[in-house]
């Protein structure tokens, strides 16, 4: 029996097209009588179903069902179904094949649909049948959206039957109630035209709790391409309000006008939006990069992330005989050593505190002279600073003990800094100074996160040109040309065609990207990281590179497990501290 039903699952094929007009949609209106209680795979005593399309009845299915358990007396009083009537009736496992075949390729309709669908799904699960997951339309929910309290006091089936003057009145018997629901459905569909609801997909969505703005602006999704790319919600004066990306622009934009979209700021944005602009892209990587660049260029008010990529800071080692760490807005060719970029000054200062815990770097901001001394601060008295201000340490020794370890940690191996911080955490833990140990741990996380990120970005940005390919979903190859960490060109090679001509065309029309200073000389860190994620996928193939893609052998990446462990510990501590 299960094998017979294997081909009945609409989810295996296209199913009912949500764009199908209501007048051309086949509906199966169903009603169940049960023994009451929760859906556990049994309890169904009667099934009634009517198939209709365009106002014409196509078929009916009605049967009593033996639930295998006694019927409660109040159910007999309510429905008139007795135990004697159900003794010769077939059990639900014998009824399901006929019912599932009857509802195949149709929209399932019921009054208070979650109740009926819940019993049917549980019965399928209990007896080994695959639930076909049809589209479901709830007439009770539809009535709540269409009819006002002035028209009907409630949305019970009996009330709606009287209001629409159905040919059959509900009697708490499955077929009668299903036939009454058919007339109620037709009455409700007649009212949907005034709400600009004409398709089955729109009708199902209309039953959900969408805002007036969502319903009023739903037409903004019309005519958009089902292609990867970027979409831009624009105001009446053409200002970008919100920028997003998707592998299917049309489907993603439509989701903003459904009940699934509950964000208050998006609801406010939809109220102001007047049109949606689509920018088609070759593939998902190009779409993600274009999204980042558009957000950076226009700073749309309803985008929260990536709005000001230029507002980054760096942690730099200053020049001079006794260098110190300084938080700066940019770096230049002459800078000795640096770490970043950081998204905020606070993040940079946290990493700086980690280096100060591990290295004897001075923290004062004075300009020190090799000829004259300056009075030492309290940090020198506490042994936290070698007091270069009083010339207690030579410039050479200071460089060896403090400055050079910072250069090494950022450019190649951070092990000495990591070991010093771990030792401090262990010592604080041994003294039961757990809060101080947690502070040092957060500094360790900041140091490792920044060094791993910068070395990873630097490895990519050193390559003048890199070409990569990834299999496209429908055949062919997705191609990307990256120059100094910036996406310079993108395209898709068709299936069955060698990708070399497409790659040559991309190269000929690609953006010229000059070399620069730092780990992100030509793009934002976020763009380069998106490119890295795309390149590091197992299915991506590197086609050509002008130079080797390399990272330091003893680089920060080898501490990724430690970083993940420290981040996890910090997250667990935060969750336990919350009330």
């Amino acid at each position: 029996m299960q094998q017979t039903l294997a081909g009945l699952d609409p989810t295996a094929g296209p199913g009912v097209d949500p764009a199908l007009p209501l007048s051309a949609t086949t509906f199966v209106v169903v009603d169940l009588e049960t023994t009451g209680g929760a859906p556990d795979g049994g309890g169904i005593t009667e099934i009634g179903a009517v198939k209709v399309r365009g106002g014409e009845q196509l078929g009916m299915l009605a049967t009593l069902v033996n639930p295998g358990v006694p019927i409660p007396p109040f159910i007999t009083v309510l429905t008139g179904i007795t135990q004697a009537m159900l003794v010769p009736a077939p059990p639900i496992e014998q009824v399901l094949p006929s019912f599932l075949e009857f509802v195949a390729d149709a929209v399932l309709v019921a009054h208070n649909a979650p109740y009926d669908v819940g019993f049917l799904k549980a019965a399928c699960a209990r007896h080994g049948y695959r639930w076909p997951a049809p589209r479901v339309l709830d007439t009770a929910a539809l009535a709540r959206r269409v009819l006002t309290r002035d028209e009907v006091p409630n949305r019970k089936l009996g009330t709606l039957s009287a209001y629409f003057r159905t040919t059959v009145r509900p009697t708490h018997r499955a077929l009668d109630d299903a036939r009454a629901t058919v007339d109620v459905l037709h009455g409700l569909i007649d009212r949907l035209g005034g709400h600009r609801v004409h398709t089955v997909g729109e009708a199902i969505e209309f039953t959900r709790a969408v805002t007036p703005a969502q319903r009023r602006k739903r037409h903004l999704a019309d005519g958009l391409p089902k292609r990867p790319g970027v979409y831009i919600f624009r105001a009446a004066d053409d200002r970008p309000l919100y920028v997003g990306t998707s592998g299917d622009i049309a489907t993603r934009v439509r989701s903003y006008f459904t009940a699934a979209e509950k964000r208050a700021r998006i609801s406010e944005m939809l109220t102001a939006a007047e049109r949606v602009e689509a920018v088609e892209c070759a593939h998902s990587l190009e779409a993600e990069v274009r999204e980042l660049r558009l957000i950076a260029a226009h700073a749309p008010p309803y985008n929260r992330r990536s709005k000001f990529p230029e507002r980054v800071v760096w942690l730099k080692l200053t020049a001079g005989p006794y260098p110190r760490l300084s938080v700066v807005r940019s770096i230049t060719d002459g800078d000795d050593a640096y770490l970043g970029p950081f998204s905020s000054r606070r993040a940079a200062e946290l990493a700086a505190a980690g280096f100060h815990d591990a290295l004897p770097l001075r923290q004062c901001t004075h300009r020190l002279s090799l000829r004259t001394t300056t009075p030492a601060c309290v940090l020198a008295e506490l042994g936290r600073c070698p007091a270069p201000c009083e010339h207690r340490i030579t410039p050479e020794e200071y460089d060896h003990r403090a400055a050079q370890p910072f250069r090494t940690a950022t450019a190649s191996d951070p092990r000495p800094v990591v070991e010093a911080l771990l030792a401090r955490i262990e010592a604080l833990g041994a003294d039961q100074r757990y809060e101080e140990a947690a502070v040092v741990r957060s500094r360790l996380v900041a140091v490792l996160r920044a060094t791993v990120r910068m070395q990873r970005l630097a490895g990519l940005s050193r390559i003048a040109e890199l070409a990569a390919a990834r299999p496209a979903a429908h055949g062919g190859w997705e191609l990307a040309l990256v120059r100094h960490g910036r996406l310079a060109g993108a395209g898709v090679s068709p299936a069955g065609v060698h990708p070399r001509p497409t790659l040559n065309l991309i190269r000929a029309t690609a953006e010229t990207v000059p070399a620069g200073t730092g780990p992100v000389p030509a793009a934002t860190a976020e763009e380069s990281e998106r490119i890295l994620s795309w390149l590091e996928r197992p299915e991506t193939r590197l086609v050509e590179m002008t130079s080797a893609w390399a990272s330091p052998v003893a680089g920060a990446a080898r501490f990724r497990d430690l970083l993940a462990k420290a981040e996890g510990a910090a997250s667990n501590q935060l969750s336990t501290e919350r009330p």
Side-chain angles (χ1 to χ4, degrees):
M1 192 177 299
Q2 287 85 338
Q3 289 80 357
T4 304
L5 294 172
L8 297 180
D9 185 1
T11 61
V16 177
D17 186 353
L20 193 66
L22 290 166
S23 59
T25 300
T26 300
F27 296 100
V28 171
V29 183
V30 65
D31 186 79
L32 305 181
E33 300 301 331
T34 71
T35 58
D40 58 0
I44 298 175
T45 60
E46 189 176 28
I47 297 178
V50 182
K51 182 179 291 187
V52 294
R53 181 174 62 239
E56 179 185 356
Q57 181 175 304
L58 304 179
M60 288 193 301
L61 183 150
T63 180
L64 291 169
V65 180
N66 188 337
V69 295
I71 300 178
F74 77 92
I75 295 294
T76 298
V77 173
L78 179 67
T79 65
I81 299 174
T82 65
Q83 191 72 41
M85 294 168 61
L86 297 181
V87 169
I92 187 63
E93 58 266 32
Q94 294 182 15
V95 174
L96 281 173
S98 298
F99 174 78
L100 292 173
E101 184 176 2
F102 191 71
V103 302
D105 300 320
V107 174
L108 195 63
V109 180
H111 199 73
N112 292 320
Y115 180 84
D116 297 274
V117 172
F119 270 89
L120 292 169
K121 288 177 67 175
C124 286
R126 181 173 178 177
H127 297 288
Y129 294 101
R130 184 193 302 174
W131 174 246
R135 299 187 188 276
V136 178
L137 183 60
D138 186 350
T139 50
L142 192 58
R144 282 192 287 270
R145 305 296 298 167
V146 170
L147 302 176
T148 66
R149 286 287 181 182
D150 293 335
E151 295 175 293
V152 290
N154 56 61
R155 277 72 177 182
K156 295 179 180 179
L157 182 58
T159 303
L160 298 177
S161 173
Y163 179 78
F164 287 112
R165 299 178 183 179
T166 62
T167 55
V168 177
R169 293 299 177 90
T171 61
H172 290 293
R173 292 297 300 269
L175 185 59
D176 285 347
D177 288 7
R179 293 175 65 189
T181 305
V182 169
D183 289 344
V184 169
L185 172 66
H186 289 156
L188 293 171
I189 288 176
D190 288 341
R191 301 284 294 269
L192 288 176
H195 296 274
R196 301 178 65 181
V197 175
H198 305 289
T199 68
V200 63
E202 291 172 344
I204 293 172
E205 189 57 45
F206 187 73
T207 63
R208 298 169 181 165
V210 297
T211 65
Q214 287 175 306
R215 192 174 300 109
R216 188 171 61 253
K217 298 295 183 69
R218 185 180 296 154
H219 67 279
L220 297 181
D222 296 344
L224 295 176
K226 296 179 72 64
R227 295 267 304 156
V230 178
Y231 53 90
I232 309 166
F233 283 88
R234 292 187 179 272
D237 59 359
D238 226 30
R239 287 181 303 111
L241 298 173
Y242 183 83
V243 177
T245 183
S246 175
D248 184 334
I249 296 174
T251 301
R252 181 67 185 98
V253 172
R254 275 199 298 270
S255 71
Y256 285 89
F257 306 100
T258 67
E261 180 53 73
K262 300 182 184 299
R263 292 172 290 180
R265 65 188 178 89
I266 296 300
S267 179
E268 182 181 327
M269 182 273 293
L270 293 176
T271 302
E274 290 299 326
R275 71 182 183 93
V276 179
E277 177 185 342
V279 180
E280 294 187 41
C281 298
H283 45 69
S284 60
L285 175 61
E286 185 187 10
E288 291 177 13
V289 169
R290 284 189 179 273
E291 178 196 30
L292 291 173
R293 294 179 185 176
L294 284 168
I295 293 174
H298 300 290
Y302 294 96
N303 282 94
R304 288 184 173 175
R305 300 178 59 188
S306 311
K307 288 174 66 172
F308 304 105
E310 73 281 359
R311 296 183 184 177
V312 298
V313 295
W314 301 80
L315 191 60
K316 185 184 76 169
L317 195 66
T318 61
Y322 296 110
R324 61 180 178 85
L325 296 181
S326 175
V327 179
V328 297
R329 288 290 182 185
S330 61
I331 53 175
T332 62
D333 288 335
D335 289 329
D336 185 27
Y338 48 81
L339 182 64
F342 294 92
S343 58
S344 67
R345 188 178 187 89
R346 179 180 178 184
E349 290 174 345
L350 188 63
F355 282 106
H356 287 143
D357 283 341
L359 304 173
L361 285 162
R362 69 182 181 96
Q363 300 182 39
C364 62
T365 58
H366 300 300
R367 187 180 183 89
L368 301 185
S369 169
L370 293 177
R371 295 182 178 181
T372 60
T373 61
T374 303
C377 64
V378 67
L379 290 177
E381 298 177 9
L382 294 174
R384 298 285 304 278
C385 179
C389 51
E390 293 187 343
H391 296 174
R392 298 183 194 175
I393 185 172
T394 65
E396 294 75 19
E397 186 180 0
Y398 180 88
D399 185 81
H400 174 73
R401 291 176 52 194
Q404 189 57 41
F406 176 81
R407 299 187 189 97
T408 303
T410 55
S412 56
D413 186 5
R415 175 176 286 279
V417 174
V418 172
E419 289 181 343
L421 291 173
L422 289 175
R424 182 164 174 77
I425 292 171
E426 185 177 355
L428 291 171
D431 291 342
Q432 298 185 2
R433 295 159 63 183
Y434 301 118
E435 292 185 359
E436 294 177 62
V439 170
V440 177
R441 182 185 61 209
S442 67
R443 295 171 180 173
L444 171 64
V445 168
V447 169
L448 279 179
R449 188 182 292 159
T451 51
V452 168
R453 185 189 193 205
M454 190 177 79
Q455 291 180 13
R456 185 165 172 257
L457 291 170
L460 178 65
S461 64
R462 280 193 290 265
I463 304 173
E465 183 177 286
L466 179 151
R470 177 173 176 263
H474 303 291
W477 293 89
E478 297 178 355
L479 303 172
L481 193 71
V482 182
R483 291 173 173 169
H484 295 296
R486 181 180 179 87
L487 184 65
V492 175
S493 174
V497 177
H498 196 283
R500 174 60 61 182
T502 305
L503 180 58
N504 290 339
L505 180 61
I506 294 172
R507 177 177 285 111
T509 58
E511 178 183 359
T512 299
V513 181
T517 302
V520 281
T524 64
E526 198 165 1
E527 175 178 334
S528 294
E529 285 177 320
R530 298 287 179 91
I531 294 170
L532 279 167
S533 296
W534 192 85
L535 293 173
E536 291 170 348
R537 292 177 182 174
E539 64 272 22
T540 302
R541 301 184 184 182
L542 300 180
V543 179
E544 295 173 345
M545 289 187 294
T546 55
S547 60
W549 184 4
S551 296
V553 174
R558 62 188 172 133
F559 292 105
R560 278 185 170 178
D561 290 343
L562 174 62
L563 174 59
K565 184 177 179 180
E567 288 176 327
S571 177
N572 291 336
Q573 180 187 11
L574 182 61
S575 63
T576 57
E577 289 177 352
R578 286 175 179 165

